[in-house]
Amino acid sequence: MGPPPVVTGISPKEGPPGTRVTIRGEFLGTSATDLIGLKICGCDCLLSAEWKSKNKIVARSGPCKGRGDIIVTTRSGGEGTSTVQFRGYHESVGPVKESAVWVEEAAPPSLPWGRRPMSPTAYTPPDPLGLSTEGDDCKFPEEDLHELFPDGSGNLTDENFQPGWYLLEHQSNTSFEDLKAGMVFLQRKVESQKEGQLSFLKENTGAVMDQLDRLVLLKNMYEEDQRKNGKEPLPSLQAAIEESITLADSLFAEILSRKENADKTREALSLLTRHKFLFQLPASIDNNIRKKEYDLVVNDYTRVKNLFGNTDVKLFQKILAEIDRKIEDLKEKLHTRMKTMPINVQEQTKYIRLLVSLNWEGDAAWVAITSRKEYLMNLMNKVKDHFKQKEDLEIGDKGKRKPKESESEGCWSGVRSDWCGAACGALSAELHALWPLARRYFAGELGGQPSEPMRHPQLKEMIIAVVEQFSEHMRLCLLSGGGTVAHDVLRARLTTNLRHLREALDSLLKLDLPKQPLSVVEKVIFDYRVHGMTMFLQRALKRVKGLKDKETWKIEEYTDYGAITNLPHLLETYMTEALSSIHKCVLSSGRREAPLFEEKGETTGVLQRHTQQILLAYVAVLRELALPKHDQEFNNTSLSVALDQCLDETKCEEPSGRSRQQQLLVAGANALYTRRQLLVELPGTFQNFELPQPTEALEATKNALADLEATIADTYLEHKGDPLVGTIEPSMYMGRHRIQDDELVQDVRPYVYEIINNLIAVHAEVDSVCGQSSSRYMRDICETVCEELARLACGAPARSRAAAFQARLEYTLLHAACANHLTRKAENYLMEALARIPPLDSEEDKKRMDSLLEGFKKRMELQLVSLNCNMETV
């Protein structure tokens, strides 16, 4: 980057717009392309700039006014500065100033009596002092004038005119002697203006005298006319006109009489022709009626009425009476045909026009509109009765034989679907005839004169009554009665019926009907969509309730939450199928239809309730499968070897091949998988089908499943843990052997091995079904065992040193064996039992204790590994 441009001098320093300005300075650009900006007093002058050298630029000033800097901008140096300023002003063009436009060289003539021209700014007034300013280009600074005369002006026409401003602005270089001469010129000019009126009269004395003579002559002529004709000349004028009329009659009387005779002759000939038409008209009317050429009849009748309507001839009156009788019969015939349905609109309009042309008493167009409305309502009733009768016949045929479940179709039957299509078609077709006919009637196109204040509300009530009857029939057809159909049939019928309803609504929208009848049809469509959604959900609910009969207790999959059957997958399938059907069939809204789901809307609540019913029904199925009311006690014996097996295999095994304990665990695994996996994925399914999230339903189902899991765990503990705990005390005192005080303990008593083996058996059963989630059941059973051991330790304290050593060894081994399954509460029970046993006093006893523990762990290594494998917190 080079140094920024600096402007140090300009020539000239002031001027009007377009002044050629020479700019001098330093670093004004290295070439013409390096110059990218030039502003004079804030106006862009780059287009007129001519780069001469890095110290000189020539340009023309823009439309600026006042003082301002000259700023040069170059690519190499950027925006520059200026040490000098240029003053721009706008000069007014006078008659002696060179100008590019035409200027009037002379002021407009002065008008007498001090009047001024309408546009005082249309010319430049001459110098009042008569002094030439040509060549005086040095102007007094305008800013200084404003400072000297803050409230004044140099314009001669302004009220705040200041002579000093004017002299400084226009005569700043004029000498004092010239100003004195100008003063004398101004005084002479003022005196000459004062003498202007008198000189004007002197110069035009002849013309003034001539005008006075003309005025006197006019006055004399007016007075002479009054003496001759008086002040009221109209009566004499009227008398003269009447006299001329009488004279004219006497001159043309003979000619007028001959003209009258000729007119009578021509009138007689014309009447003869008219009589012929009148006599032939009755036969012509009958002939045209047979040919259905009613327009010719109307034209002839209108013509004869115009010709002979006011005749006094009795013969003519008799013929007209016969014609009127035939026309009345024709009116009745046209009226009957206009009301007879079905009839197309064009023909009905033709009859309306004919009746209006024949002056039928009544409002023909309104009668036609009313007839169409009654016909439409009767047509919809006939459609309803026809399909109801057809449905009754089908039900009667099915009643003769045992109906299948799939034949109970109800409102989803094919007959109802045909009924919906026929009713929608009838409404659309007839309203497309009724509504345009009514619009033409109110527009006055049918020739009548409708009483709008009365007819408009009546027409609106007609349309609303028709649409409400249609709505009532469609609700009876589509929203009443139950029925069981196949899923594909349900979707097909629902889609077909919705298409019929929407086609009917589209046809009404094309007619530009009022909003109220349209809203009735929109409400029917919306309610039917909600009904369809409800049917899909109720179908899913019924299928979920039937899951109990489909449970075979066959393991379908091993998951992180245990072995599950097909029930969770069936629930997911039923829900997905229902949601998919809702999305495809009823979710999308048609033209002018409200969205099916709105935030906190009633339909959203319906979806939430049905979803919750489906999910809670599934929970109820799991509960009934896991905890049947007729279930007997699993095992309430005290035989530890029978904890996991019944004495009679045929009685213990269920038809599915699984014991009741295993079924209970499988039901718990199904509940846990549903709560942890299925219900977590269900919101995504709702979102994929663009449905509102069932937050409340999911929360209620999760709580219900958690309660069911807790109940299953308590039941399993009750029927599996109680027999195990019941064997501890009898096994502990089996043989009633007492340890002597000096006896050396070498091993634990058999009850410890029995507890470990029983826990291994329970763990094997739970792990085979629940897998990694089996820790819950093992923790509960271990906690119960520890509670029983603490109770026994409290009830039978060790009375000898050997007995204390024996008890501490057994409790320590049980703690080590069940370490992975002990809860805090179980730990407290064992610590409480150990606290009641006297501690080991000698180091020898401690070493022997450690040796016995190590030997036990080596002997029981396989059992301990089996007891503590696959344990994760769930």
Side-chain angles (χ1 to χ4, degrees):
M1 291 289 291
V6 178
V7 177
T8 57
I10 57 172
S11 177
K13 295 184 178 181
E14 60 180 3
T19 302
R20 182 180 175 86
V21 180
T22 301
I23 303 170
R24 298 186 182 276
E26 297 178 349
F27 315 116
L28 301 182
T30 58
S31 62
T33 57
D34 190 39
L35 180 64
I36 60 173
L38 174 62
K39 289 186 178 180
I40 301 177
C41 296
C43 296
D44 191 356
C45 303
L46 181 61
L47 291 177
S48 63
E50 298 180 14
W51 184 86
K52 300 296 184 180
S53 66
K54 63 180 181 180
N55 302 109
K56 180 181 178 181
I57 296 175
V58 177
R60 291 191 177 273
S61 63
C64 56
K65 190 173 183 179
R67 295 186 178 275
D69 294 333
I70 297 88
I71 305 300
V72 178
T73 305
T74 61
R75 284 193 177 89
S76 59
E79 186 174 323
T81 58
S82 175
T83 60
V84 294
Q85 289 186 327
F86 179 81
R87 174 178 171 271
Y89 59 86
H90 294 181
E91 63 179 2
S92 58
V93 181
V96 296
K97 186 71 175 179
E98 294 182 359
S99 174
V101 298
W102 177 263
V103 179
E104 290 289 345
E105 297 184 356
S110 300
L111 298 180
W113 304 291
R115 292 172 59 193
R116 294 186 177 181
M118 293 299 294
S119 179
T121 60
Y123 70 98
T124 303
D127 183 13
L129 299 179
L131 300 176
S132 174
T133 58
E134 187 174 359
D136 186 8
D137 294 333
C138 184
K139 302 293 183 181
F140 198 82
E142 188 175 353
E143 292 81 356
D144 298 341
L145 292 174
H146 282 291
E147 293 179 2
L148 294 173
F149 308 99
D151 297 328
S153 172
N155 193 348
L156 294 171
T157 59
D158 292 345
E159 295 181 357
N160 57 346
F161 172 71
Q162 291 290 342
W165 181 313
Y166 181 84
L167 292 177
L168 289 174
E169 184 177 9
H170 298 282
Q171 306 291 342
S172 58
N173 294 329
T174 305
S175 63
F176 181 72
E177 296 298 332
D178 291 340
L179 289 177
K180 288 172 65 177
M183 183 65 181
V184 174
F185 173 78
L186 182 59
Q187 289 176 351
R188 286 200 308 269
K189 191 173 182 181
V190 172
E191 292 297 333
S192 64
Q193 288 183 355
K194 291 181 180 179
E195 298 176 358
Q197 298 179 5
L198 182 59
S199 61
F200 176 79
L201 292 176
K202 288 179 181 180
E203 293 175 357
N204 298 281
T205 302
V208 172
M209 297 302 294
D210 191 18
Q211 293 171 6
L212 290 175
D213 291 342
R214 293 290 181 181
L215 290 175
V216 172
L217 180 59
L218 287 175
K219 179 176 178 296
N220 294 335
M221 292 175 64
Y222 180 73
E223 291 176 352
E224 182 66 24
D225 184 79
Q226 280 189 347
R227 285 194 298 271
K228 289 182 179 180
N229 301 316
K231 295 183 179 180
E232 297 294 336
L234 293 180
S236 58
L237 180 61
Q238 181 179 2
I241 293 173
E242 292 176 353
E243 183 181 359
S244 64
I245 291 174
T246 303
L247 181 59
D249 289 341
S250 62
L251 293 174
F252 298 100
E254 183 178 359
I255 298 175
L256 293 175
S257 62
R258 290 198 303 269
K259 179 181 180 299
E260 184 177 358
N261 292 333
D263 290 341
K264 289 181 179 179
T265 302
R266 284 192 296 270
E267 183 179 357
L269 294 174
S270 177
L271 287 175
L272 289 175
T273 304
R274 294 178 186 176
H275 294 167
K276 181 179 179 181
F277 165 72
L278 178 63
F279 292 143
Q280 294 179 351
L281 184 58
S284 176
I285 289 176
D286 292 338
N287 188 26
N288 290 330
I289 289 176
R290 284 194 299 270
K291 296 179 180 179
K292 296 184 179 181
E293 295 179 354
Y294 303 112
D295 292 335
L296 294 178
V297 176
V298 173
N299 292 334
D300 292 342
Y301 180 70
T302 304
R303 181 182 175 190
V304 77
K305 278 294 184 181
N306 292 333
L307 293 175
F308 303 100
N310 299 323
T311 183
D312 295 332
V313 181
K314 293 185 178 180
L315 180 59
F316 290 175
Q317 292 178 353
K318 182 178 179 180
I319 297 174
L320 289 176
E322 182 180 358
I323 294 173
D324 288 339
R325 190 183 72 254
K326 292 182 179 293
I327 294 300
E328 289 298 328
D329 294 341
L330 177 61
K331 289 180 183 178
E332 188 64 27
K333 185 178 181 180
L334 294 175
H335 175 252
T336 303
R337 290 188 177 181
M338 181 186 68
K339 293 179 61 177
T340 303
M341 296 290 172
I343 184 174
N344 59 56
V345 180
Q346 291 76 14
E347 191 173 356
Q348 195 175 31
T349 304
K350 176 183 176 181
Y351 293 150
I352 293 172
R353 293 187 182 279
L354 291 172
L355 289 173
V356 172
S357 300
L358 293 174
N359 297 323
W360 181 71
E361 294 181 1
D363 197 341
W366 186 253
V367 172
I369 293 172
T370 307
S371 302
R372 281 206 170 272
K373 176 253 182 181
E374 295 297 334
Y375 171 72
L376 176 55
M377 299 190 75
N378 292 333
L379 180 61
M380 287 193 293
N381 287 328
K382 289 180 180 179
V383 170
K384 182 189 75 171
D385 295 339
H386 170 73
F387 285 102
K388 289 290 287 184
Q389 184 179 4
K390 186 176 180 181
E391 187 177 38
D392 294 339
L393 290 176
E394 288 190 0
I395 294 175
D397 293 339
K398 293 177 181 179
K400 296 179 182 179
R401 54 185 173 84
K402 186 177 180 181
K404 299 179 181 179
E405 183 180 358
S406 60
E407 292 179 345
S408 178
E409 297 180 348
C411 62
W412 302 103
S413 65
V415 175
R416 296 284 184 95
S417 182
D418 295 340
W419 178 7
C420 175
C424 292
L427 177 71
S428 176
E430 292 303 321
L431 277 183
H432 269 272
L434 173 61
W435 184 250
L437 185 66
R439 294 186 65 177
R440 294 179 64 186
Y441 167 71
F442 285 107
E445 298 178 6
L446 299 180
Q449 295 180 355
S451 178
E452 294 189 7
M454 180 178 62
R455 298 298 192 196
H456 272 294
Q458 292 178 359
L459 176 64
K460 185 176 181 180
E461 291 175 1
M462 286 184 185
I463 300 298
I464 292 175
V466 169
V467 175
E468 286 182 347
Q469 182 176 351
F470 169 77
S471 171
E472 180 182 351
H473 288 185
M474 289 299 96
R475 291 182 183 277
L476 178 64
C477 172
L478 303 176
L479 302 180
S480 63
T484 303
V485 294
H487 186 74
D488 295 339
V489 176
L490 174 63
R491 292 180 56 171
R493 298 268 169 80
L494 175 65
T495 304
T496 302
N497 295 337
L498 269 179
R499 186 181 71 253
H500 290 323
L501 292 173
R502 283 169 174 165
E503 288 175 353
L505 178 61
D506 289 340
S507 66
L508 300 186
L509 290 174
K510 293 178 182 178
L511 295 176
D512 195 18
L513 289 176
K515 183 177 180 181
Q516 187 172 355
L518 293 176
S519 62
V520 175
V521 181
E522 292 170 7
K523 186 65 167 59
V524 172
I525 297 176
F526 183 82
D527 291 345
Y528 187 57
R529 292 165 64 196
V530 175
H531 179 67
M533 177 194 72
T534 306
M535 288 299 299
F536 288 127
L537 295 174
Q538 288 178 351
R539 179 182 178 84
L541 176 62
K542 184 177 180 180
R543 298 175 73 184
V544 169
K545 288 182 178 180
L547 287 177
K548 178 184 176 183
D549 300 330
K550 295 186 177 182
E551 179 60 277
T552 61
W553 300 107
K554 179 182 178 181
I555 303 301
E556 297 290 339
E557 182 182 356
Y558 287 91
T559 67
D560 294 339
Y561 308 103
I564 62 173
T565 63
N566 200 31
L567 288 188
H569 298 304
L570 289 176
L571 172 64
E572 184 178 11
T573 301
Y574 296 160
M575 284 297 300
T576 303
E577 185 176 336
L579 298 179
S580 175
S581 300
I582 292 173
H583 178 265
K584 291 181 179 179
C585 298
V586 300
L587 181 62
S588 61
S589 301
R591 184 180 176 190
R592 284 180 61 94
E593 293 180 27
L596 188 62
F597 297 105
E598 294 181 351
E599 187 176 358
K600 298 182 180 179
E602 183 177 354
T603 312
T604 304
V606 172
L607 178 63
Q608 290 275 0
R609 290 194 298 272
H610 282 82
T611 303
Q612 184 168 338
Q613 290 176 3
I614 294 172
L615 296 177
L616 293 181
Y618 172 77
V619 177
V621 168
L622 288 181
R623 182 179 294 275
E624 189 172 354
L625 289 171
L627 308 170
K629 296 180 181 179
H630 62 277
D631 192 22
Q632 301 296 327
E633 294 290 338
F634 293 129
N635 182 18
N636 49 12
T637 67
S638 59
L639 298 176
S640 62
V641 295
L643 280 176
D644 197 44
Q645 296 179 355
C646 291
L647 295 176
D648 189 354
E649 292 293 337
T650 60
K651 294 181 180 179
C652 184
E653 292 286 336
E654 293 290 330
S656 61
R658 293 191 177 276
S659 64
R660 289 298 301 132
Q661 294 94 331
Q662 291 177 337
Q663 291 181 0
L664 188 67
L665 294 174
V666 170
N670 284 337
L672 181 61
Y673 174 80
T674 303
R675 180 170 63 89
R676 292 289 186 89
Q677 183 73 23
L678 188 59
L679 295 186
V680 173
E681 297 175 353
L682 194 58
T685 305
F686 274 78
Q687 184 176 1
N688 292 337
F689 291 116
E690 301 178 2
L691 299 177
Q693 295 294 324
T695 307
E696 299 177 359
L698 293 177
E699 190 64 27
T701 307
K702 288 179 180 179
N703 295 334
L705 287 172
D707 294 340
L708 177 60
E709 293 170 27
T711 303
I712 290 175
D714 294 341
T715 304
Y716 186 81
L717 176 63
E718 177 183 356
H719 295 290
K720 200 72 173 179
D722 290 352
L724 190 151
V725 172
T727 62
I728 296 177
E729 187 173 4
S731 298
M732 182 180 292
Y733 299 107
M734 186 177 294
R736 299 187 179 276
H737 174 72
R738 295 189 63 180
I739 301 176
Q740 300 297 325
D741 188 37
D742 55 351
E743 184 178 350
L744 189 63
V745 177
Q746 298 294 334
D747 198 1
V748 296
R749 284 175 285 180
Y751 83 93
V752 175
Y753 293 99
E754 185 178 11
I755 290 175
I756 293 175
N757 289 331
N758 287 338
L759 289 177
I760 291 173
V762 172
H763 179 267
E765 181 181 63
V766 174
D767 183 68
S768 66
V769 176
C770 299
Q772 297 179 358
S773 61
S774 61
S775 61
R776 175 175 187 170
Y777 300 95
M778 291 303 299
R779 286 197 301 264
D780 293 343
I781 292 178
C782 288
E783 185 176 313
T784 306
V785 171
C786 292
E787 184 180 6
E788 177 67 12
L789 293 175
R791 184 186 69 81
L792 294 175
C794 180
R799 298 184 179 182
S800 64
R801 179 171 172 273
F805 184 90
Q806 179 80 38
R808 180 172 291 278
L809 175 63
E810 293 170 351
Y811 282 94
T812 303
L813 286 175
L814 286 173
H815 182 275
C818 303
N820 289 344
H821 304 290
L822 296 180
T823 61
R824 184 179 297 275
K825 193 173 182 181
E827 290 271 2
N828 293 335
Y829 284 139
L830 290 178
M831 292 301 103
E832 180 182 352
L834 290 173
R836 296 181 179 275
I837 301 174
L840 299 177
D841 296 333
S842 64
E843 290 295 330
E844 182 182 355
D845 290 342
K846 293 179 180 180
K847 291 181 180 180
R848 190 157 56 89
M849 175 71 71
D850 295 337
S851 175
L852 291 175
L853 288 174
E854 292 296 328
F856 179 84
K857 291 180 180 180
K858 289 180 179 180
R859 293 194 310 273
M860 300 290 290
E861 182 178 4
L862 180 61
Q863 288 85 343
L864 295 179
V865 171
S866 300
L867 183 61
N868 294 296
C869 66
N870 283 339
M871 298 311 299
E872 291 187 7
T873 302
V874 177

